[in-house]
Amino acid sequence: MSISSINYGSSVLGAQIRNINQQLTNLSTQLSTGKLSQNYSGMGTNEGFAIASRAQLSNIAAYTDTMTNVNVNINLANTALQSLTTIRSTVQTGSATSSQDLNVNGQTVAQNTAAAQFGSMVGVLNTQSGNRYLFSGTAYNTQSVANAGDIINGTTTQAGLKTVMAERQAADLGANGTGRLVQSTLASGAIQVQEDSATSPFGLKIAAVSSTLTGATVTGPSGSPVSFSVNLNGVNPNNGDKLSVQFTLPDGSTEQIDLTASSATPTPVGSFAIDASTPVNPANTATSLNTALNTAITKLASTSLVAASAVAAGDNFFNTDSSAIGAAETNQATPAAPISGTTALSGTAPSDSISSGFSAGDSITVNGTTLSFVASGATGNQLNVTDSIQTLMSKIDAITGTSKPSTIHGGSITVNTDDAASLSISGATPGATAALGALGFASSPITATQPPLRVGSTPASSATTLVNGTANTVKWYTGNDGPGSARSTAVARVDDSVTVQYGAQADEDAIRSQLQAVAVYGTFSTSPTGQYSGAQVAALSLRTTQALTPQPGQQKIEDIQTDIAMAQNTMKDASTRQTQAKAQLQTIVDQAESASPDQVASEILSLQNALQASYQTTANLAQLSLVKYL
């Protein structure tokens, strides 16, 4: 009789062998992949930490990609900015050291170099990184600057810088070439020099007059329009006596004419002849003074004024700065006179105060900020009603943040602003509105003329206004020109709580002022054979050298480079932190998910031994019979 074989497949021993085989399979997979499991369920209790760590590692990878892209943009921008500093140095050196010999086109070698460098600047400012224009601010898909030829020469429908400069020069010189000054002899015998308009921004502006002329009477500058007069009173001045007149030019610079009484023959340059006839006739001396004064004014207008006019035209074309001009009424003093910086904001006739003054309780709004008027004890954004107009203007300038202080000249108030689009001054009370009217601002709110600015009427030689030229003038900057800092126009998050700002705009002060100076210098031309041509270019060269010399308190190209370098340093610090965090996070993931090769190999060896013993046991049992069992 035989015994049927045992069903080992369903036995405990068979199940144990299958379990060992499965473990061996799992361990072999771990050994080949280095992972504890191919799915999350087999990873163990620490897998939750690994999942969170992987999410953070993914963020770090994204930040790393962002920083790589931002660094590319910053490096390209920095290279462009460095090119601008090189151009600045080249043009500045040329304007400061080159001779004033003119070619057939009425330009010097240094000016020709500047014209070429202007084209280079335009190319640099249109630098792209991929499809991003680096100097367009938020309008990164728009070319930053118009084409160089269009900026200088204009298009078929819009005027360029060359036209704006020509118009401004005609307006500043005036029809008689004397800087819009009218010279005449009064019935009293006095020589008078008067500006041709109380509100015109053009020409020479009389700033101060002084005299050591023996027996002479000098009056002014005063009146509206401003004038001064010199009366020798029938007395010959002494040899060496002097008349000095200081003028303000359109670019804000000042020049002085000095005329010295002289008995020398021939009369030296810069002097006027003292009559030496017998008997002495002081009227001849007055005639000589009148002629010398006219000659000196004409020379000043034909040299420094022409250069200053070119600079002012460049400002009208390139600069976002602008101003609002008010032709104020005379004060309440006796006799009445044009208001000045010292004129009080209120008072009773015949005091030196505006005719309709501010009262306690009045207020005005300047760019959204309220200025209040009080009887006394003003603090912060308050003014005493007894304060001066200059104090009011200083308060307004502090709010607008203008880099060019507002001025009073000949009873005319000019409120300057660095952002014409934002200027808004209005009376918040009826009394304040009336007082602003007395200051010459008849309409409310007071706003600035939008640049670019053009001569307001024809012929330009008699024009008295600048007007908005947007419709018929090339817009040189074509990128974003909205409010806010240029740097904030490009922002990138480089860590969970860290962002960097690395934007740039071609209309930033440092870039714009350099582009403006180079463009004006390279565009200006004069008659190669003119009497004053060399002096005109010399005066412009001096102004160009000064304009390209960084001034304290003004933005420099290097300041922009410093800003973006700080962004790079911030990213470098973030990258260092992330590298450290990445190593720690990867350790957490590895500890939770990775299998140790040594440990797996040891476990495989142990299981193989167990499996071998199980197989031997199974084999022995398979040979077991009842006879052997008995």
Side-chain angles (χ1 to χ4, degrees), residues 81-454:
L81 292 169
Q82 194 59 46
S83 297
L84 295 184
T85 62
T86 301
I87 291 172
R88 180 184 68 197
S89 178
T90 299
V91 177
Q92 184 184 43
T93 300
S95 64
T97 61
S98 295
S99 69
Q100 306 304 328
D101 295 334
L102 302 176
N103 59 23
V104 294
N105 296 318
Q107 288 191 312
T108 64
V109 171
Q111 287 181 279
N112 288 334
T113 299
Q117 293 296 339
F118 174 77
S120 297
M121 278 195 72
V122 170
V124 167
L125 292 174
N126 283 327
T127 296
Q128 286 180 272
S129 176
N131 62 349
R132 182 187 188 94
Y133 286 93
L134 298 180
F135 294 95
S136 290
T138 57
Y140 56 84
N141 58 349
T142 301
Q143 181 173 305
S144 307
V145 179
N147 296 329
D150 292 345
I151 292 174
I152 301 302
N153 300 309
T155 65
T156 55
T157 58
Q158 294 180 311
L161 175 63
K162 187 177 293 185
T163 298
V164 173
M165 288 173 61
E167 291 174 350
R168 177 85 203 213
Q169 181 174 314
D172 282 319
L173 281 174
N176 58 5
T178 56
R180 306 294 291 265
L181 297 177
V182 179
Q183 189 169 336
S184 60
T185 301
L186 303 179
S188 62
I191 301 165
Q192 183 187 65
V193 178
Q194 185 177 50
E195 297 172 14
D196 70 347
S197 170
T199 59
S200 168
F202 306 119
L204 298 168
K205 302 300 180 184
I206 304 167
V209 181
S210 61
S211 167
T212 60
L213 299 176
T214 302
T217 301
V218 177
T219 58
S222 59
S224 183
V226 174
S227 67
F228 74 90
S229 64
V230 182
N231 195 335
L232 297 182
N233 295 318
V235 178
N236 263 349
N238 295 323
N239 201 46
D241 287 356
K242 186 181 292 184
L243 172 69
S244 299
V245 186
Q246 188 180 77
F247 297 96
T248 301
L249 280 64
D251 64 346
S253 62
T254 58
E255 298 273 353
Q256 183 166 299
I257 291 173
D258 294 313
L259 296 176
T260 304
S262 176
S263 57
T265 303
T267 305
V269 175
S271 300
F272 64 95
I274 301 173
D275 181 65
S277 60
T278 303
V280 172
N281 186 358
N284 292 336
T285 304
T287 299
S288 178
L289 173 60
N290 193 26
T291 301
L293 183 58
N294 182 266
T295 299
I297 290 174
T298 300
K299 180 180 179 181
L300 177 62
S302 301
T303 54
S304 293
L305 176 62
V306 169
S309 176
V311 173
D315 217 43
N316 296 155
F317 184 85
F318 284 98
N319 202 350
T320 56
D321 297 358
S322 193
S323 58
I325 300 175
E329 299 176 7
T330 56
N331 61 20
Q332 299 187 91
T334 304
I339 64 170
S340 66
T342 59
T343 300
L345 297 174
S346 70
T348 304
S351 68
D352 182 13
S353 60
I354 56 178
S355 57
S356 180
F358 292 94
S359 302
D362 283 340
S363 62
I364 63 174
T365 302
V366 181
N367 290 3
T369 298
T370 299
L371 281 177
S372 303
F373 295 84
V374 296
S376 61
T379 59
N381 287 332
Q382 294 180 330
L383 293 101
N384 299 317
V385 292
T386 55
D387 285 338
S388 67
I389 293 176
Q390 185 59 59
T391 302
L392 171 62
M393 293 172 65
S394 297
K395 289 280 189 181
I396 292 174
D397 287 349
I399 293 172
T400 63
T402 178
S403 59
K404 184 179 181 181
S406 299
T407 61
I408 303 175
H409 179 80
S412 178
I413 297 177
T414 302
V415 179
N416 293 315
T417 175
D418 288 352
D419 184 1
S422 69
L423 183 66
S424 178
I425 304 173
S426 59
T429 59
T433 301
L436 289 175
L439 292 174
F441 299 102
S443 60
S444 182
I446 301 166
T447 57
T449 305
Q450 297 287 318
L453 303 178
R454 298 282 296 277

Side-chain angles (χ1 to χ4, degrees), residues 4 20 46 111 129 217 342 474 536 583 585 596 608 630:
S4 299
I20 292 173
N46 290 329
Q111 287 181 279
S129 176
T217 301
T342 59
V474 170
Q536 289 174 1
L585 292 167
S596 168
Q608 284 175 338
L630 294 174

Side-chain angles (χ1 to χ4, degrees), residues 460-493:
S461 58
S462 59
T464 58
T465 59
L466 284 166
V467 297
N468 184 348
T470 301
N472 59 357
T473 312
V474 170
K475 183 179 181 181
W476 71 273
Y477 175 64
T478 53
N480 167 68
D481 56 2
S485 71
R487 232 57 71 233
S488 66
T489 59
V491 181
R493 183 169 294 280

